[in-house]
Each structure stands twice: as C-alpha cells, then as structure tokens.
Amino acid sequence: MPETAAAATTSSSLETPLAHAAAVAVPDANDLAGRFLLAPNPEAASEAERVQALTDLHFGSVFTDHMAHARWTRGVGWTDHEITAYGDLTLSPAAAVLHYGQEIFEGIKAYRHADGSIWTFRPRYNAARLNISARRMALPELPEEDFIASLVDLVRADGHWVPSGEGESLYLRPFVFASAAFLGVRAADVVDYYVIASPSGAYFTGGLKPISIWVSQNFHRAGRGGTGFAKTGGNYASSLLPQQEAAAKGCDQVCFLDDVTERNLEELGGMNIMVVDHDGTVRTPHLTGTILEGSTRSAIIRLLIDSGRHVVEDTISLEGLLSDIESGRVREVFACGTAAVVVPLGRLKGEGFDVTIEGSAVTSEIHDRLTGIQYGTYEDPHNWMYRLA
Ligand code: COI
C-alpha cells in the first residue's frame, strides 16, 4: 500500500492551540504604540550610511539604529520597556544563558508596501509561539500584546530602515534569555527580552533556484519529549555540525530524520519541508513535538486548502519518498520558513542515494501567492497582514 494512503488525514495544523491563538484579532497598532518608550540613539547612522547599508542586502548582517528591550525579574514581572540604541550588551560572564542555554527566539518580518506603509505577517502567531517556547524553557511568558507593541515601537523608530527592493524586508528577531548571574542549574530569576532588526535580502541568494539537501543519518535535531517544537537556540546549535557535514558533501542544507525510527523526515536545519505528489496533493510531516510549528508552514497549508488542494500531514518516510521520486509519484519537494520563505529542493543526497527532483510549479505558485499577500500585491483573505506604520 502506498505509505500515505494508510493514514491520510485532513490537515490538523489549522486546529492547534497555536493556530487558534494566532486567529485572535490584534488591537490597532496606534493603540499599542508607546508601550516601549523611545530613547533615541544619539549615534544613529547618517542618511548616507543607511543608504550604503541598504545596498546589496543579504540575510542578517546589517542592523538598524535601535532595539526593543524589557526585563523580567521573579516576583516583580516585566519592567523597563524601552526602545534604545542598538549596541553591545553588558552581561555577567556568569549569566545563565551562557552556561545552560536558557534562551528562546522568534523570526518575523516587516514588509514595505508600494504606498510606503509597513506591515507584518500574523504577529500574534509569533507572540503565542514565543510563549509556547517560554513554557518549555522555563522562561517567563511575555504578554502577547507587549510582544506586538515592541514590533510596532521598534519599526516606528526605525521605519526608514525597511527596504523596498524585491524580496527584501526588515527581519525582526525577538529573543528572551536568562541574564541572571548564577551558576546553579535552575530557571533564572532575571531574564531579558530584546528585539533587533535587520534589513535583509533573500536567505538563499539564488532566489527560487533549487537547493540541495543532505539527509543526515548520523545526527538528529531533536528527540521525543525534548525541545524540538520550541524555538530555542540549542536546536539550531545541534544542527550546525550536521550542516557542516552537509556542506562537506556538497549540499546547501541538512534534513533530519526522526530519532525513534530513524526513517521519517522531520525538518531542515531551520525550515519545514513539503512534498508535492503527481495528483497535486501536498504532504508535510505531521507535528510530532519534535518539529517546529512554522508560521509559513501553517499559512501555506491554509492557502493550499483554499486553492482546492488536498493537504496531508502525515509520516513521510525517506525510503517512500525516494521511491516516489523515482517513480514520478512525487513531483516537487520544497522547504519553507520565515527567513527562507519558500525554496524548491532540487536534489536529495545521503548515504547510498543521490536523487534529483525537477519540478517546481506548485512551489513557485505558493511562493508567489504568499509573498503577494505579504507585499500587498494579492488579496489577504485571512487578514494575516498587520499594519505597523
Ligand atoms: C526563521 O525562519 O525566521 C528562523 O528563525 C530560522 C533561522 C534558521 C533563520
């Protein structure tokens, strides 16, 4: 029996607690603005420096003039909400994050529309997911509307840094870490929240050019009961050696298999994965607790269903995928995430196999649809876009 026929389910990612949390309306940005008080950077970049910094953008290496910050102290809660000069942090060498990795983060973008306005995509999704990660990592939750207010206030301070070139955006990186100076292994009593902003171009410089994947059979990204579903630095740190292995094998990215059967696809180092069958069905690994519930993954599932496609969240075995690619049953494979958006996978390589995938029509279609919504050139039927400024 073909492997997906046994357990084909209707998509369930649209019904998760995170999906429900993300659907709650967000107050207008004007009503949230001002929660983070602006202390302007006296050494902000000059117009000429900024224009220079915004030419030939890549991912994550240029930063704006300001950052958002708030501090949490046990027994007190969150205080000191501010927009302050972007700059180095002062941290005790005993800060718990440096020793035990008690840290979480998010990734979300601000897009400039043709009329100059600045928008973001489903901010409550990221706000709610930050708190899911916080609970797993024994960090304090941040009120969702404070999270969104921090984006509003930071983007209003640094709006002139939002680029307008094709595929460009202001990548926002909210993060929370244990700053308490204490070497005991317990949840920290002092925690800091920051948001930094990075004008960025495409994550993969080739745009929609297919990338190659090394399927890691020696390493796993996450295990059952672990932190795979949380957006915490350790998951990404554990992907770095396998990523080096992938590069040594001539591949762009690494893909992980589950740690129990060691047979089933999970996700790439920082992206979810989707498979397009010859009949147009799109399959993606189901949420097992070891993969990230991606915002892009969730939006794509919704858009595919809207366009009448059958979407199946299920177990996808490597063995089944390889034989389906060979037989022509699988036509396309693509990866998706906030930073990378949507990118076709053109080659899957691992110990004992090396296959190519030619198709990318559905991948391009979904890329164009999603980015059209994000950049304001397509209708936004689910009200995902939120005006920041
Ligand atoms: C994102 O897509 O925003 C992420 O956080 C993934 C990271 C590897 C860039």
Side-chain angles (χ1 to χ4, degrees):
M1 184 185 296
E3 64 159 322
T4 53
T9 54
T10 323
S11 176
S12 61
S13 271
L14 305 178
E15 300 299 334
T16 63
L18 178 50
H20 284 294
V24 174
V26 181
D28 189 274
N30 288 329
D31 296 327
L32 295 180
R35 291 191 186 194
F36 287 71
L37 279 186
L38 175 62
N41 181 351
E43 291 173 18
S46 68
E47 166 84 10
E49 286 167 338
R50 186 171 48 78
V51 168
Q52 174 61 32
L54 291 179
T55 49
D56 192 26
L57 285 173
H58 297 283
F59 179 78
S61 51
V62 170
F63 298 94
T64 64
D65 294 320
H66 295 93
M67 58 190 181
H69 172 241
R71 170 158 292 176
W72 178 87
T73 312
R74 194 175 299 282
V76 176
W78 289 101
T79 59
D80 303 338
H81 303 68
E82 58 182 351
I83 302 291
T84 185
Y86 176 88
D88 293 350
L89 307 181
T90 303
L91 206 59
S92 164
V97 65
L98 301 177
H99 304 273
Y100 310 124
Q102 195 190 4
E103 184 268 357
I104 54 176
F105 68 96
E106 273 301 322
I108 181 166
K109 288 174 170 174
Y111 308 88
R112 188 176 295 285
H113 286 188
D115 64 358
S117 57
I118 303 170
W119 300 70
T120 194
F121 183 73
R122 297 177 92 189
R124 211 184 264 283
Y125 193 102
N126 298 76
R129 191 173 62 182
L130 185 82
N131 287 337
I132 290 173
S133 302
R135 289 196 282 279
R136 178 63 185 86
M137 298 305 288
L139 283 163
E141 293 181 37
L142 180 71
E144 289 179 13
E145 288 172 13
D146 282 353
F147 175 96
I148 299 168
S150 69
L151 308 184
V152 171
D153 286 330
L154 180 57
V155 166
R156 288 186 177 196
D158 284 345
H160 49 307
W161 282 93
V162 181
S164 55
E166 196 184 335
E168 293 178 345
S169 60
L170 184 69
Y171 183 80
L172 299 162
R173 171 52 64 86
F175 58 108
V176 180
F177 62 91
S179 48
F182 178 64
L183 295 183
V185 184
R186 67 155 199 239
D189 289 339
V190 184
V191 162
D192 281 285
Y193 167 70
Y194 284 91
V195 188
I196 55 174
S198 176
S200 293
Y203 190 78
F204 294 110
T205 43
L208 272 179
K209 185 167 155 267
I211 61 166
S212 54
I213 298 298
W214 175 255
V215 182
S216 177
Q217 283 146 302
N218 299 322
F219 300 105
H220 299 289
R221 176 185 168 276
R224 306 292 129 149
T227 60
F229 67 89
K231 209 158 171 61
T232 181
N235 293 337
Y236 297 81
S238 77
S239 77
L240 299 178
L241 178 62
Q243 177 61 36
Q244 285 180 337
E245 186 182 60
K249 302 286 183 184
C251 293
D252 298 306
Q253 284 287 313
V254 62
C255 175
F256 294 99
L257 301 177
D258 76 290
D259 66 305
V260 175
T261 70
E262 303 198 298
R263 295 178 61 229
N264 303 321
L265 300 187
E266 294 233 300
E267 66 176 66
L268 309 192
M271 283 157 271
N272 295 115
I273 187 165
M274 299 204 177
V275 167
V276 185
D277 290 339
H278 65 107
D279 65 355
T281 297
V282 178
R283 293 181 287 137
T284 191
H286 59 137
L287 301 172
T288 54
T290 52
I291 68 171
L292 191 77
E293 191 173 342
S295 164
T296 311
R297 174 186 182 279
S298 148
I300 288 175
I301 291 173
R302 178 76 267 169
L303 293 176
L304 289 166
I305 292 172
D306 288 354
S307 66
R309 284 187 193 275
H310 186 209
V311 178
V312 178
E313 292 180 70
D314 201 358
T315 300
I316 302 178
S317 78
L318 174 63
E319 198 184 349
L321 178 64
L322 293 175
S323 75
D324 287 345
I325 291 170
E326 192 144 321
S327 70
R329 177 168 180 254
V330 162
R331 293 282 164 82
E332 301 177 39
V333 184
F334 66 90
C336 59
T338 298
V341 195
V342 172
V343 62
L345 309 189
R347 185 173 179 187
L348 283 186
K349 216 173 146 182
E351 300 297 348
F353 64 89
D354 185 353
V355 300
T356 53
I357 310 137
E358 303 292 340
S360 63
V362 176
T363 306
S364 300
E365 184 185 306
I366 202 69
H367 170 274
D368 292 352
R369 185 84 207 284
L370 181 64
T371 55
I373 293 172
Q374 291 170 334
Y375 287 92
T377 56
Y378 280 14
E379 189 205 344
D380 173 20
H382 300 287
N383 290 319
W384 284 334
M385 300 310 291
Y386 177 76
R387 185 166 180 173
L388 293 168

